[in-house]
Amino acid sequence: MDAQTIMKPYVIGLDLGGTNSVFGIVDSRGDIKATTAIKTQGYDRVEDYVDAAVDALQVIIDQVGGIDKIKAMGIGAPNGNFYNGTIEFAPNLSWGHDTVVPLAKMFSDRLGIPVALTNDANAAAIGEMIYGVARGMKNFIVITLGTGVGSGIVINGQLVYGCDGFAGELGHVIMRRENGRSCGCGRKGCLEAYCSATGVARSARELLFTTDRPSVLRDMNPEEITSLDVSIAAGKGDQLALDVYKATGEMLGEACADFAAFSSPEAFIFFGGLVKAGDLIMDPIKKSYDEHVLKIFRGKAKFLISGLDGASAAVLGASAIGWEL
Amino acid sequence: MDAQTIMKPYVIGLDLGGTNSVFGIVDSRGDIKATTAIKTQGYDRVEDYVDAAVDALQVIIDQVGGIDKIKAMGIGAPNGNFYNGTIEFAPNLSWGHDTVVPLAKMFSDRLGIPVALTNDANAAAIGEMIYGVARGMKNFIVITLGTGVGSGIVINGQLVYGCDGFAGELGHVIMRRENGRSCGCGRKGCLEAYCSATGVARSARELLFTTDRPSVLRDMNPEEITSLDVSIAAGKGDQLALDVYKATGEMLGEACADFAAFSSPEAFIFFGGLVKAGDLIMDPIKKSYDEHVLKIFRGKAKFLISGLDGASAAVLGASAIGWEL
């Protein structure tokens, strides 16, 4: 530990989600020393959101010995631009959907510490590199399987931000160029339209509507089926649900084969809700990857599940950006 | 210019192709001071190839004032592994098709200077960064459209080699997952199967066989049609040939849209034989890219043609690796 880490042993992480904003104060080993949360929505102005956040933060900052103990703050947020420290046109934020919010500067001005901001998938990638399964790796790709599909790409030990701060949108590579599913981005056939939690539920509904196959999912209102229901059904051996996970994993494996042609990573690391399905999704990913990848890359990449503790993974990821400042 | 560049103002570049090996001695502005060449094939052992190469090189080294004037040597070669300085299982090299050849070390031992080796597309990317249109850029992708489709990717000012030295095989991302064309790599639907010079000729033949459309290309033996013939026909206004270039450009634009989701480059730079078609290929690339790319990336990337002088571009690219040593 260097002198500065002894003097300022903590960073703040903020996982800014569509519903909740969760704060943690984290040490260099990834132990969360204190945590708090506020609602993300319900503020007309971003200033009111920051006021509420700083009030909540002050309590846990005092718990760890005051702001002098804190090196920096990292924020993981939707549509986060690392270069500018801004949240740009985030459709799901009441105070940020139609504008560019300089959130890093706002927190930095209030707290008097450096603050950096990036999207949640990039935060997850830095989190894996600092506290998780990617420690010591220089080339890896984190794929987040949640409501959407996100990614954080590390090359030569550095997060890939691209020319504009928005690189690493692997959920929006096109996997089906003909008759592709509509995606929230307005295009068709994106990876996210199939392999997000929403995509898994949609795949299940498609199979229920277009086949006569039996399934315990037929007992539910189709519109209410979630990826968790599909996972529970699969866990009970429901063949239709198992096939949905198999197809999802197969497409992810195909996609990773293309990503290997780009950056030949040492590992693909999966993160997020769908990963709870474990082998149900990881086995088809690995099998499909081996079948589809260019021969020179075969057998080289590891397929790993996130090493960050589930409940606090997003906060840890966000906090990790603080150590890079 | 730093002191070392004044003392040792030159680097050697070797463009090691399937037929010829072309050497150039290059200064820091990209001016070729002396050049020579030998046949690549016709040697049973790599030692004999290196002997012939060093004999030829010695003449031009003497022309520029001896080996003391030379900082390093860069080699652009098929299946080149930068990390190991090796050529690995290069199918088209008589002395290298079934083995791993430590060519960088062999030249370094003989010449007494540092030698680095990478594949030709990576060499082209470094060439663009040092002498060409990518000077000052930190994030760009070079796509080489020759017999195959290759790529060199630069992120944060560094060439992307990946965990094994083989990253950047964008010619082998899959563009057609159903009924894809066979590719030389043994898989189906690769970008290279459509957008290489060979792919362009194949597209023309397909249109000639599957339609009754008139074309000056019908006067030729279909098996002898090359991309150059298609380009000449298109230049004369032949609609079938024009459509082949349009379709080729459209697929390249679609592919670049996916590459943007990966690394959001400042520019895509096209290099190689097909680029001679100019607007015939560049216009459909740009149009298709704008139609297919994710909204946040639209209008950000430039589409450029290589700034390296055609005849000597590959030698310049190879030599550029020498400056990085």
Side-chain angles (χ1 to χ4, degrees):
Chain A
M1 230 190 294
D2 63 15
Q4 222 214 345
T5 313
I6 294 168
M7 300 279 290
K8 291 180 182 285
Y10 306 123
V11 288
I12 298 172
L14 161 54
D15 167 32
L16 196 160
T19 309
N20 296 312
S21 288
V22 183
F23 301 84
I25 298 183
V26 183
D27 72 10
S28 64
R29 293 186 307 181
D31 287 337
I32 298 182
K33 295 299 176 185
T35 185
T36 188
I38 63 169
K39 293 279 169 206
T40 301
Q41 310 284 2
Y43 308 94
D44 292 336
R45 304 181 323 142
V46 61
E47 288 78 6
D48 300 332
Y49 168 79
V50 173
D51 282 345
V54 170
D55 284 350
L57 260 177
Q58 198 55 57
V59 178
I60 58 169
I61 290 171
D62 290 343
Q63 280 174 25
V64 300
I67 194 74
D68 291 347
K69 297 284 181 193
I70 293 173
K71 180 176 184 291
M73 175 175 178
I75 304 172
N79 295 42
N81 183 329
F82 175 78
Y83 290 139
N84 302 328
T86 48
I87 295 180
E88 306 191 2
F89 306 102
N92 300 322
L93 297 180
S94 60
W95 42 264
H97 56 82
D98 216 21
T99 182
V100 174
V101 177
L103 198 68
K105 183 173 186 309
M106 294 178 77
F107 273 107
S108 183
D109 287 349
R110 293 291 297 272
L111 298 171
I113 56 175
V115 179
L117 179 156
T118 189
N119 73 43
D120 46 355
N122 287 343
I126 299 183
E128 295 296 345
M129 189 159 58
I130 294 191
Y131 315 118
V133 293
R135 270 174 292 189
M137 288 188 195
K138 296 281 186 199
N139 292 284
F140 64 93
I141 297 178
V142 169
I143 297 175
T144 63
L145 303 172
T147 313
V149 173
S151 64
I153 304 165
V154 171
I155 289 177
N156 295 335
Q158 300 169 331
L159 215 291
V160 175
Y161 290 111
C163 74
D164 57 355
F166 290 115
E169 284 291 349
L170 298 185
H172 296 284
V173 300
I174 305 296
M175 294 304 292
R176 293 292 175 263
R177 293 183 192 276
E178 285 175 30
N179 304 316
R181 279 188 193 169
S182 296
C183 180
C185 73
R187 304 178 310 152
K188 286 187 173 165
C190 293
L191 181 64
E192 172 167 303
Y194 297 87
C195 298
S196 59
T198 333
V200 164
R202 194 163 160 186
S203 298
R205 278 195 293 275
E206 271 186 16
L207 272 185
L208 292 170
F209 282 135
T210 59
T211 71
D212 289 334
R213 297 176 56 185
S215 168
V216 297
L217 295 170
R218 292 202 183 273
D219 300 337
M220 297 186 64
N221 175 347
E223 295 310 316
E224 288 174 1
I225 293 173
T226 66
S227 63
L228 184 62
D229 299 318
V230 183
S231 163
I232 291 169
K236 290 178 185 159
D238 186 87
Q239 195 58 47
L240 185 142
L242 286 167
D243 286 351
V244 167
Y245 268 96
K246 184 159 172 278
T248 307
E250 281 172 356
M251 186 183 281
L252 283 166
E254 275 188 64
C256 288
D258 277 351
F259 305 158
F262 203 103
S263 71
S264 186
E266 183 178 341
F268 293 95
I269 301 169
F270 294 86
F271 181 102
L274 279 192
V275 174
K276 291 184 190 133
D279 291 346
L280 217 56
I281 187 129
M282 295 303 286
D283 284 348
I285 291 176
K286 288 183 233 177
K287 187 157 177 287
S288 165
Y289 178 83
D290 281 340
E291 282 168 16
H292 288 98
V293 79
L294 198 60
K295 196 174 163 193
I296 49 167
F297 299 121
R298 212 173 284 164
K300 287 181 179 170
K302 299 185 198 77
F303 285 80
L304 305 172
I305 288 178
S306 169
L308 302 182
D309 174 42
S312 49
V315 169
L316 284 175
S319 79
I321 315 167
W323 296 116
E324 305 266 296
L325 293 174
Chain B
M1 230 189 299
D2 63 14
Q4 222 215 345
T5 313
I6 295 167
M7 300 280 290
K8 291 179 180 287
Y10 306 124
V11 288
I12 298 171
L14 162 53
D15 167 33
L16 196 161
T19 308
N20 295 313
S21 289
V22 183
F23 301 83
I25 297 183
V26 182
D27 72 11
S28 63
R29 295 187 305 181
D31 286 337
I32 298 183
K33 296 300 178 185
T35 184
T36 188
I38 63 169
K39 293 280 168 205
T40 301
Q41 310 284 2
Y43 308 93
D44 291 337
R45 305 181 323 142
V46 61
E47 288 78 6
D48 301 332
Y49 168 78
V50 174
D51 282 345
V54 171
D55 285 350
L57 259 177
Q58 198 56 56
V59 177
I60 58 170
I61 290 170
D62 290 344
Q63 281 173 25
V64 300
I67 194 74
D68 291 347
K69 298 283 183 194
I70 294 172
K71 180 177 183 293
M73 175 175 178
I75 304 172
N79 295 44
N81 183 328
F82 176 77
Y83 290 137
N84 302 327
T86 48
I87 294 180
E88 306 192 0
F89 306 102
N92 300 322
L93 298 180
S94 59
W95 41 264
H97 57 83
D98 215 20
T99 182
V100 173
V101 177
L103 197 68
K105 184 173 187 311
M106 294 178 77
F107 273 107
S108 183
D109 287 349
R110 292 291 297 275
L111 298 172
I113 55 175
V115 179
L117 179 156
T118 189
N119 73 44
D120 46 355
N122 288 343
I126 298 183
E128 295 295 345
M129 190 159 57
I130 294 192
Y131 315 119
V133 293
R135 270 173 292 187
M137 288 187 196
K138 295 282 185 197
N139 292 283
F140 64 93
I141 298 179
V142 169
I143 297 175
T144 64
L145 303 173
T147 312
V149 172
S151 64
I153 303 165
V154 171
I155 289 178
N156 295 335
Q158 299 168 331
L159 216 291
V160 175
Y161 290 112
C163 75
D164 55 355
F166 290 116
E169 284 290 350
L170 298 185
H172 296 284
V173 300
I174 305 297
M175 295 303 293
R176 293 290 175 264
R177 293 183 192 276
E178 285 175 30
N179 305 315
R181 280 187 192 168
S182 296
C183 180
C185 73
R187 303 179 311 153
K188 286 188 173 164
C190 294
L191 181 64
E192 172 166 305
Y194 297 87
C195 298
S196 60
T198 334
V200 164
R202 197 164 157 185
S203 297
R205 278 195 294 275
E206 270 187 16
L207 271 187
L208 291 170
F209 282 133
T210 60
T211 71
D212 289 334
R213 297 176 55 185
S215 169
V216 298
L217 294 169
R218 293 205 182 271
D219 300 338
M220 297 185 65
N221 175 346
E223 294 311 315
E224 288 174 0
I225 292 173
T226 67
S227 63
L228 184 62
D229 299 318
V230 183
S231 163
I232 291 168
K236 290 178 185 161
D238 186 87
Q239 196 57 47
L240 185 143
L242 285 167
D243 286 352
V244 167
Y245 269 95
K246 184 160 171 277
T248 306
E250 281 173 356
M251 186 183 282
L252 283 166
E254 274 187 65
C256 288
D258 276 351
F259 305 159
F262 204 103
S263 71
S264 186
E266 182 179 341
F268 293 95
I269 301 168
F270 294 85
F271 180 103
L274 280 193
V275 174
K276 291 182 189 135
D279 291 345
L280 217 55
I281 187 128
M282 295 302 286
D283 284 348
I285 291 176
K286 289 183 232 178
K287 186 157 178 285
S288 165
Y289 179 81
D290 281 339
E291 282 168 15
H292 288 97
V293 79
L294 198 60
K295 197 174 162 194
I296 49 167
F297 299 121
R298 212 172 284 163
K300 287 180 178 170
K302 299 184 197 75
F303 286 79
L304 305 172
I305 288 178
S306 169
L308 302 181
D309 173 43
S312 49
V315 169
L316 283 175
S319 78
I321 315 166
W323 296 116
E324 305 266 296
L325 292 175

